[in-house]
Amino acid sequence: MQLVVARIGRAHGIKGEVTVEVRTDEPELRLGPGAVLATEPAGAGPLTIETGRVHSGRLLLRFEGVRDRTAAEALRNTLLIAEVDPAELPEDPEEFYDHQLMDLDVVLADGTEIGRITEITHLPSQDLFIVERPDGSEVMIPFVEEIVTEIDLAEQRAVITPPPGLIDESQAVIASARDEEDEDGDGDGAPAAGKDI
């Protein structure tokens, strides 16, 4: 199975190094010297990592055969893709690969269904679950411990405790209340008037 582990950024210096946006919790394993990575677009690779170092908090990589700034800049925005055994799990039990989280049901602690994870977005500050609601709309859930309280892979669900305002459930409540009140179906929201017999 293929996993995106990084995106190449701008060239650094004149000797072929590039900055990378890391998209894996295990950069030392996936982005170490000697690693051979597929690319998207495919024509840019495969790329073999020759050296790696951290500079000013950013990971810099040099690839075999990339020797100058022009060649490095040509790789900008290329995705780096590692081949991973689907049965392989991260060493830390609190970490998950994206493929493990995709399609999990998202529920509140009381079991109320929120939706299903359809995408995971990796931002510099945190990761986000893109959750498709039953009505087809989407909501973004920050993947932080305070909000995502449990990931249960056996039950295929993520339990969340969202802060007020993160998930707008008022529409469903209002709609159901309106349906109950508008018993006569005339759209005015008032109950049907009683008929004298």
Side-chain angles (χ1 to χ4, degrees):
M1 180 184 60
Q2 296 188 320
L3 293 178
V4 174
V5 292
R7 183 177 67 84
I8 297 176
R10 69 182 121 202
H12 179 83
I14 61 171
K15 296 184 179 179
E17 281 187 313
V18 294
T19 62
V20 292
E21 173 193 313
V22 176
R23 296 190 178 179
T24 174
D25 290 328
E26 302 170 309
E28 65 287 340
L29 176 65
R30 307 286 177 212
L31 299 170
V36 179
L37 302 167
T39 59
E40 177 62 45
L47 294 172
T48 301
I49 297 174
E50 188 173 278
T51 64
R53 66 187 178 101
V54 176
H55 175 73
S56 298
R58 293 203 68 126
L59 180 60
L60 302 179
L61 296 179
R62 181 182 290 122
F63 301 101
E64 289 181 7
V66 178
R67 290 286 170 252
D68 59 31
R69 186 176 184 86
T70 303
E73 195 60 41
L75 294 173
R76 192 169 186 171
N77 292 323
T78 299
L79 297 177
L80 299 176
I81 302 167
E83 191 67 40
V84 178
D85 182 341
E88 184 180 330
L89 299 176
E91 291 180 13
D92 185 341
E94 295 300 312
E95 293 179 356
F96 304 91
Y97 292 135
D98 286 5
H99 72 273
Q100 295 176 287
L101 302 171
M102 289 295 290
D103 290 324
L104 291 187
D105 293 323
V106 178
V107 299
L108 299 178
D110 66 4
T112 302
E113 180 186 355
I114 300 302
R116 180 178 57 84
I117 298 173
T118 57
E119 186 180 338
I120 298 158
T121 301
H122 301 277
L123 302 176
S125 57
Q126 66 190 13
D127 296 336
L128 288 175
F129 290 160
I130 309 300
V131 177
E132 184 178 317
R133 306 288 305 265
D135 65 3
S137 64
E138 290 184 338
V139 62
M140 292 184 285
I141 309 287
F143 186 21
V144 294
E145 194 175 344
E146 298 77 26
I147 296 174
V148 181
T149 57
E150 180 186 357
I151 298 289
D152 188 337
L153 295 179
E155 294 292 324
Q156 287 290 288
R157 66 179 192 164
V159 180
I160 64 169
T161 306
L166 181 64
I167 297 174
D168 183 13
E169 295 182 70
S170 62
Q171 291 178 335
V173 174
I174 292 170
S176 63
R178 188 181 309 117
D179 291 343
E180 289 173 12
E181 290 175 2
D182 191 18
E183 294 169 359
D184 60 351
D186 63 5
D188 64 2
K195 292 185 180 177
D196 293 328
I197 298 181

